[in-house]
Amino acid sequence: MRAVVFTGPGKAEVQDVPEPQAGAGQVVIDVDRVGVCGTDVELFTGEMSYLHSGRSSYPLRPGHEWSGTVTAAGEGVDESWVGRRVTGDTMIGCGRCRRCLAGRHHVCPDLRELGISDGVPGALAERLAYPAAYLKALPDAVDATVGALVEPGGNALRSVEAAAIAPGERLLVLGTATIGLLAAMFGRARGAEVHLMGHRESSLELARSLGFGTAWTRETLPAVPWDAVVDASNAPGLPALAVQLVEPGRRVVFVGLAGSPSTVDTRDIALKDVTAVGILGASAGLGGTITAYAEGAVDPRGLVAATVGLDEIIDVLAGQRPSGAGAGPKILVDPRA
């Protein structure tokens, strides 16, 4: 089958690789759609920290935002999975340690990440071998495109839940890329008054087109009380700004990661009695995201700029925008196109 393979920093190929087999506890999935995110780009460019810590290495098969259809089940897997449309968790724990047994497999000390860490080939391929224990069934109301947006949606949902915002309260989201816009959508679905802050007018226009008229730059951001702040940006200066902006006694949520260390003065956190929450991964938010998408409470389709084939994705990773792409931040791949 065909798959995208990163062979070195800035180097990627579509290669013919062996067909995946459903081992014990696994299924094989025909991949329908795959989303490309900032982590994939960092793995491609060589900037991803895992490449320097030894957690990831080349050659590497990327892809962790996906949807597909189960075509085969291995030993010990319920055969009823075959033929079902699915997505799945990026975070794959050992299943035996204290953290996994407590439901925190996303921080397992032996965590493996689909399409990110060594030994777990990703979904930017025609087919995928995947552990059945981490599957999530997709209802008919969630098509292939929306199914590939469940993983980023899970991160956004977890961020909004961590913000502990009530209906009518004011939520500020820093960052207008995929996670930021999805967090805004989930906040709106929960009745919050949602504002976004970005730094490019084009991204603010997209936010406004999605119904968020309260989209600002730092210079135009109104001086009002913010009941919660979600930092979904990659700017090293914004975590500290989030703490400065949030109301005393409330919450800031950090789901974005900067490419360089960010500095937050813990005195500001303590003296304002602020709760700071970090979000790693979508695991606990996948089910809720699927429900929200299926019921129409959140519709992420407006975030998709284009859907391309495997051969075209290499140019996208190198920074080229597909011809005819819309304004959205998300590029999807149809591996069989």
Side-chain angles (χ1 to χ4, degrees):
M1 69 169 186
R2 301 168 72 237
V4 173
V5 181
F6 294 164
T7 57
K11 298 178 180 178
E13 302 172 359
V14 177
Q15 296 183 358
D16 288 323
V17 302
E19 289 274 355
Q21 303 298 315
Q26 291 186 322
V27 296
V28 172
I29 297 158
D30 278 358
V31 180
D32 293 325
R33 293 290 186 277
V34 190
V36 177
C37 83
T39 299
D40 300 311
V41 174
E42 289 185 0
L43 288 167
F44 170 72
T45 62
E47 298 172 285
M48 176 66 175
S49 62
Y50 285 7
L51 291 165
H52 307 290
S53 68
R55 191 164 176 172
S56 303
S57 63
Y58 301 116
L60 185 146
R61 297 235 321 254
H64 61 277
E65 302 176 1
W66 59 274
S67 66
T69 303
V70 177
T71 57
E75 180 184 349
V77 177
D78 188 338
E79 287 286 339
S80 68
W81 278 113
V82 177
R84 298 181 75 179
R85 298 176 51 256
V86 296
T87 187
D89 203 337
T90 298
M91 309 300 211
I92 300 170
C94 71
R96 302 178 302 275
C97 71
R98 183 173 181 267
R99 296 175 192 171
C100 285
L101 294 175
R104 294 182 286 118
H105 69 272
H106 64 296
V107 288
C108 171
D110 295 319
L111 179 71
R112 298 179 299 153
E113 296 178 65
L114 179 77
I116 297 173
S117 55
D118 283 349
V120 194
L124 269 172
E126 293 177 312
R127 281 170 287 283
L128 170 69
Y130 184 82
Y134 293 88
L135 288 171
K136 297 290 183 182
L138 294 177
D140 292 341
V142 177
D143 64 16
T145 292
V146 175
L149 293 165
V150 168
E151 198 277 343
N155 282 278
L157 175 57
R158 289 192 64 214
S159 299
V160 172
E161 289 176 340
I165 200 84
E169 292 189 317
R170 192 177 288 120
L171 170 66
L172 175 63
V173 179
L174 307 180
T176 52
T178 299
I179 301 294
L181 290 169
L182 283 168
M185 290 178 179
F186 278 105
R188 178 170 61 189
R190 292 183 171 224
E193 178 191 318
V194 179
H195 297 246
L196 292 109
M197 191 187 90
H199 68 281
R200 292 194 308 273
E201 189 57 33
S202 60
S203 66
L204 295 178
E205 284 302 319
L206 174 62
R208 292 170 188 139
S209 74
L210 295 171
F212 297 102
T214 48
W216 318 94
T217 64
R218 178 67 185 98
E219 292 71 30
T220 62
L221 187 70
V224 296
W226 303 107
D227 298 307
V229 180
V230 172
D231 176 22
S233 76
N234 60 2
L238 290 192
L241 178 63
V243 174
Q244 293 169 19
L245 291 174
V246 75
E247 279 286 276
R250 300 307 298 265
R251 291 189 171 202
V252 293
V253 180
F254 301 118
V255 65
L257 291 175
S260 58
S262 54
T263 301
V264 177
D265 191 334
T266 58
R267 292 173 297 182
D268 292 337
I269 295 175
L271 293 172
K272 291 183 69 175
D273 197 28
V274 167
T275 299
V277 184
I279 298 295
L280 174 68
S283 302
L286 296 173
T289 298
I290 292 170
T291 298
Y293 288 175
E295 294 178 349
V298 172
D299 183 357
R301 290 177 179 85
L303 304 184
V304 178
T307 300
V308 301
L310 282 180
D311 294 306
E312 298 169 87
I313 200 59
I314 295 173
D315 290 336
V316 171
L317 290 161
Q320 296 183 33
R321 195 79 172 165
S323 176
K330 181 61 67 175
I331 306 295
L332 297 185
V333 180
D334 178 348
R336 292 188 294 278

